[in-house]
Amino acid sequence: CEAGTERKILRSEMEMPGGPRRASHATLRTLSRAGAAAVLLLLVAGPLVAPVAAYNCTSDTACAYAGCNDRSADGEVVAASCEGGTCVSGNSTHNEACSEPCKAGTYSNGTWDEVHCVTCPAGKYSETVGASDSSTCTSCDAGTSSETTGAGNATTCTPCAAGKYSAAAASECTQCAGGSKSAADSLSCESCTAGTSSSADGSSCTVCDAGTSSAAVASECATCPAGMSSAAEASECASCEDGSVSTAGGLCVACEAGSYEAGFTECTPCPAGSYS
């Protein structure tokens, strides 16, 4: 019987006429048998304490973690001996216990509410096992990039292709703007000079053909208009000399005998009764 029930019977019997002596004897016999059974159970089975997992908490940090207040680092029940509930730095919490150290590419700040190890972001990597903070996440070098999160080594940092560039810790390489170029593994782009233009992929600057021109930082060479022309790699077009003409993008050509230049765009035949 439960203790409360036994006490209730005891009171009711004591209220009966002539009951106190008889009730006391009956109750003592019942309590004696129950107590002996309880002692025997404890001797045979030992303390009724369920095994607990090691919480890996420390005694010098404030405990806010359920289950740690009455457990030491080795899992023994020691009431209030572990005021710390924070997992050891570099571990993560899972199912109300500290799990294995964070693997390479991840880290833990050790706070009680961490459920998983935090992954290093794209553009970084960490070779450290059991890292305790984000400072172990190392940036990929400038001129490389990595799209991988939680990278465990530097092999994920791949060089940028020609025509692209990156700063340190980049998740992807950036295309060079028109009028500029870069070699592979570059941290910046270089402007094309006057008389050249950038290739489509930004990997080089190409010399302008004769009849075209470009200023610096050009993505393409411009065609010289009719009446003007240029040599290769020219920064600007020039008017044809007197007596010569050109079509758009063409070279200046002298008018043949019997004709003359009119406006640098075409040769006109001499009228009847004249020559040249």
Side-chain angles (χ1 to χ4, degrees):
C1 293
E2 295 180 358
T5 304
E6 193 65 41
R7 285 194 295 272
K8 185 176 181 180
I9 294 173
L10 177 60
R11 293 191 188 96
S12 63
E13 288 182 350
M14 291 181 71
E15 292 171 357
M16 296 171 61
R21 181 177 297 175
R22 290 191 299 275
S24 297
H25 290 165
T27 301
L28 289 173
R29 285 195 299 272
T30 302
L31 291 173
S32 177
R33 288 195 295 271
V39 171
L40 179 60
L41 178 61
L42 288 172
L43 290 174
V44 174
L48 298 178
V49 179
V52 293
Y55 278 73
N56 219 6
C57 43
T58 58
S59 60
D60 58 351
T61 52
C63 182
Y65 193 36
C68 260
N69 280 331
D70 58 353
R71 289 172 172 78
S72 66
D74 59 2
E76 293 295 327
V77 175
V78 280
S81 69
C82 176
E83 293 184 356
T86 301
C87 280
V88 173
S89 292
N91 286 5
S92 65
T93 61
H94 184 62
N95 294 331
E96 298 187 354
C98 285
S99 69
E100 303 214 348
C102 293
K103 65 181 181 178
T106 66
Y107 66 92
S108 170
N109 60 15
T111 57
W112 66 271
D113 59 351
E114 287 288 350
V115 177
H116 300 293
C117 295
V118 182
T119 58
C120 291
K124 295 188 176 185
Y125 67 93
S126 174
E127 298 178 342
T128 304
V129 175
S132 59
D133 59 66
S134 61
S135 65
T136 57
C137 295
T138 304
S139 298
C140 292
D141 292 336
T144 68
S145 68
S146 173
E147 297 179 348
T148 305
T149 56
N153 54 63
T155 58
T156 58
C157 301
T158 55
C160 296
K164 295 184 177 183
Y165 70 98
S166 75
S171 59
E172 61 181 345
C173 298
T174 303
Q175 180 69 44
C176 289
S180 61
K181 66 172 182 176
S182 73
D185 198 15
S186 293
L187 54 86
S188 63
C189 299
E190 177 184 354
S191 296
C192 294
T193 58
T196 66
S197 64
S198 60
S199 59
D201 61 2
S203 62
S204 63
C205 293
T206 306
V207 172
C208 293
D209 295 330
T212 65
S213 67
S214 75
V217 197
S219 57
E220 61 182 9
C221 298
T223 300
C224 293
M228 303 183 76
S229 188
S230 69
E233 200 173 350
S235 60
E236 59 183 8
C237 300
S239 296
C240 294
E241 296 180 353
D242 291 343
S244 61
V245 297
S246 73
T247 57
L251 299 177
C252 293
V253 178
C255 291
E256 296 180 354
S259 65
Y260 64 97
E261 164 264 313
F264 302 106
T265 58
E266 62 178 348
C267 294
T268 303
C270 292
S274 64
Y275 68 95
S276 70

